[in-house]
Each structure stands twice: as C-alpha cells, then as structure tokens.
Amino acid sequence: MKISELAEQLGGKFTGSGELEINGIKDLEHHTEVDPSCIYYVASKKYLAKHKKAADVKIALTIESLASNFPNAIIVDEDDSKVKFIRVVSLFEKKPKITPFISERASIHPTAKIGKNVTIMDFVSIGESVVVGDDVILYPNVVLEPFVEIGNGTVLKSGVVIYYNCKLGKNNLIHSNTVIGADGFGFYDHGGVRYKVPQIGNVIIGDEVEMGAHCTVDRAALESTTIGNHTKFDDHVHVGHNCRVGNYVYIAGATVLAGSVTIEDGCFLAGQSAVAEHLTMKKGSILMGLSGLTEDSKEKTAYFGIPARPALEMHRIHSSLPSLPEITKDFNKRKKAE
C-alpha cells in the first residue's frame, strides 16, 4: 500500500513521497534495526525521546507537531491518533479467511436451530434446543450444552464450553478453553455432612464482549450471573456466582471476583486483583494490581493495597512506613521510662 493511499483511507495528509510502498507496521520496542519499508506509530514527544531509534524511522504515523522528524509521514489529528493507529494495524492483520461450513464430524442435536452463514468446525458438540445465530463461528471442540443461546456474529475459539441455559449476545469473542456457566461454589456444612447447594441459575452475557483464554464465569445459584455490553476480560479471570458486571468494564489477567459482587459501568480492575463477596465497585472506580477490595468503593476513585484503600490514603501510609522502625524505637524507650 502506498503512503498516499493509506493517508486517504485515514482521512489524513502526508509529507514526503506519496508513492512509497508500506509493507507492514512495526514498533520500536523490540527491534534493533528499523525497517525502512514499514510504518511506525510515533505520536508523542515522550515516545520520540524515549526511543533513539525513532531517528531512523523512514515512514511514521504521527501528529502535525512531530512530522518534521521523519522523511515520510502520515499526519493525523492528535485527539484520535490512537484510533487511526488501530485502523492501520487492522489493515495489516493477516487473519485466516473462513468460508462458512458445517463439519461432518460435528455433533448437532436435531432440535438445535442453526442460523445463516454459520461455521461449525470438527468435534463441536451442540445440544438439545440450542440456538445459534447468524454468522457465528464455532472452532473445534466447542461444547454448547442444552438450551444455550448464541447471538449473531459471536466467535467461540477452540475448547470453549457453554453450560446449559446460558445466553450470549451478539458479536462476542470468547477465547480458547473459557468455561461459562459452571456451578457456583456453594456448599453448606451441617451435622457432619457437607451439602452441595444446587446452582440452578445461568449466565447472561451482553453484546461486544471479549473474554481471554481460560476464563471462568460461574452460573448463579438461583437467578443470573450477568456480564454487560462492551466489557473486556484478559486471560485467567474468574467471576463467581451471582455477580453483576456492568458495561464497558475492563478486567485484567488473574483477577478474581467472589460471589455476589457488583461491578458497575466503566470500572477497571488491574491484574491479580480480587474483590470480596457481596461488595460493589461503584461507577468508574479502579482497583490497582495485586490489590484486594474488602469494602464498597466510591465512584471514580482508585484503590490499592491489601486491604485496598483509596490511593491517596495508601500513598500517605506507604510514605510513612520507612519511619516506622524509629517511631517504634522511640515509643518503646518512652514506655520503659514511665
């Protein structure tokens, strides 16, 4: 693709040679040499200063104020430069093209309803009364238990298991070996007997949701565990039974939600964080990495630590820790002197 052609697609302008061919997109993080035939995204002074190799970039996707640093540049608006970068990446993504087909080695119950342009690969198992919408792609070894519903355009990667009665909306992407609808962790001990509490609810997932590999979302005990629209999970996220996760939520890897947690719209949970049972993270709040929330959060407030406290408070606590030994020593001296 020529520089002039890409600039036109992005609605931007270019400097340098519009006839120069772009053969791919790369970054400056992991290469010792700059590829003169590839485009690089450099849209901040900080990034430009951080990477000395930026001086060798021949083709840049950048903003007006930085364009003079490069012999050839596609210039986009600063406020949406990252969106334009995403568009460029998608142009060079080499996804396998899939022509819809249904494998003879798939097991499909005669009562299942299969939509139009559906792809069902080898060893998929589709149970009784399952509904699969249009343009769905089911990779090998996907299991859809009875009465599952899958919305239009959803993609389930290899090994995904959706337990009975669970419902997924439109245009979801669920990565390999994720399990949706397993039993919640419900037990009761009485008289020396451990009783399993039946988990008769389900999981309902909205539209445009993405879940990474090896995630688990447990079914509710009586009603529904729910995941809102446009919410994104990293790998190895666990959502306990009865949870309510809102819209536009980000949950990073190895994060755990105990049972009956509510995560309101726009929250962000960083990696290896945890939320105790029956708590609520209010709209727009943040739980930082390696933190454990043990009380309801406030809206649009960042928390960290174990137990997690508002970030400003925790910063004050941490800043005082180096003085703690001397404070303790002084206290003990005074105590002995009394």
Side-chain angles (χ1 to χ4, degrees):
M1 181 183 298
K2 296 178 180 179
I3 287 179
S4 59
E5 294 171 342
L6 182 55
E8 184 178 359
Q9 286 196 40
L10 297 177
K13 57 184 180 179
F14 68 89
T15 59
S17 174
E19 296 299 305
L20 193 62
E21 290 283 341
I22 304 171
N23 295 325
I25 183 167
K26 291 185 177 180
D27 63 40
L28 297 170
E29 296 279 354
H30 306 295
H31 297 91
T32 56
E33 300 292 334
V34 171
D35 189 331
S37 68
C38 288
I39 191 169
Y40 292 79
Y41 176 58
V42 184
S44 73
K45 291 181 179 179
K46 183 178 180 180
Y47 190 83
L48 184 64
K50 178 181 177 182
H51 296 284
K52 295 181 179 179
K53 291 179 290 183
D56 299 326
V57 168
K58 303 302 181 187
I59 310 170
L61 176 66
T62 189
I63 56 178
E64 185 80 50
S65 61
L66 299 179
S68 61
N69 291 282
F70 310 103
N72 304 282
I74 296 175
I75 303 169
V76 294
D77 292 338
E78 187 170 357
D79 61 348
D80 70 345
S81 68
K82 192 62 177 285
V83 174
K84 297 298 173 62
F85 163 71
I86 293 170
R87 286 185 58 187
V88 174
V89 173
S90 68
L91 290 172
F92 289 102
E93 185 179 17
K94 296 179 180 179
K95 277 187 175 180
K97 292 183 179 180
I98 297 174
T99 302
F101 72 98
I102 297 177
S103 171
E104 294 180 353
R105 290 187 282 186
S107 174
I108 303 173
H109 196 278
T111 60
K113 296 180 180 179
I114 309 299
K116 301 175 182 177
N117 301 317
V118 170
T119 298
I120 302 176
M121 299 186 187
D122 293 349
F123 309 117
V124 169
S125 176
I126 298 178
E128 177 187 357
S129 299
V130 167
V131 177
V132 176
D134 298 341
D135 304 306
V136 167
I137 300 176
L138 305 178
Y139 278 76
N141 300 306
V142 165
V143 176
L144 306 181
E145 292 191 353
F147 307 105
V148 162
E149 296 181 16
I150 306 295
N152 295 345
T154 285
V155 177
L156 306 182
K157 293 285 191 173
S158 299
V160 169
V161 179
I162 313 295
Y163 280 49
Y164 60 96
N165 295 332
C166 293
K167 300 178 181 180
L168 278 67
K170 300 176 182 178
N171 300 319
N172 294 317
L173 173 58
I174 312 298
H175 287 278
S176 293
N177 299 315
T178 284
V179 177
I180 296 170
D183 283 357
F185 193 59
F187 297 91
Y188 177 69
D189 292 351
H190 179 72
V193 178
R194 176 160 291 176
Y195 295 91
K196 178 179 173 64
V197 180
Q199 306 289 295
I200 65 172
N202 69 347
V203 176
I204 298 177
I205 295 174
D207 301 334
E208 306 285 349
V209 172
E210 182 167 345
M211 293 185 183
H214 297 277
C215 293
T216 51
V217 182
D218 287 350
R219 68 194 314 106
L222 299 177
E223 298 181 5
S224 298
T225 300
T226 60
I227 311 294
N229 300 327
H230 299 279
T231 284
K232 310 299 182 184
F233 289 8
D234 195 0
D235 298 339
H236 297 281
V237 170
H238 173 69
V239 176
H241 63 182
N242 307 324
C243 285
R244 305 283 191 271
V245 179
N247 303 314
Y248 290 95
V249 172
Y250 283 113
I251 305 182
T255 292
V256 175
L257 306 184
S260 301
V261 164
T262 298
I263 308 294
E264 294 185 350
D265 296 350
C267 288
F268 188 104
L269 290 80
Q272 294 184 298
S273 58
V275 182
E277 67 275 4
H278 300 285
L279 296 183
T280 297
M281 283 188 67
K282 300 294 180 62
K283 289 183 179 179
S285 58
I286 298 170
L287 184 59
M288 299 170 71
L290 295 169
S291 297
L293 192 68
T294 58
E295 62 180 32
D296 292 349
S297 76
K298 298 177 181 178
E299 287 192 9
K300 298 180 180 179
T301 302
Y303 287 75
F304 78 90
I306 301 175
R309 304 293 300 165
L312 292 177
E313 179 181 335
M314 287 300 292
H315 283 308
R316 289 195 294 268
I317 292 171
H318 284 186
S319 67
S320 68
L321 288 178
S323 303
L324 189 58
E326 288 301 319
I327 293 172
T328 302
K329 185 178 179 180
D330 183 61
F331 174 79
N332 289 333
K333 284 182 179 180
R334 293 184 183 186
K335 191 173 181 181
K336 288 179 180 180
E338 290 178 354

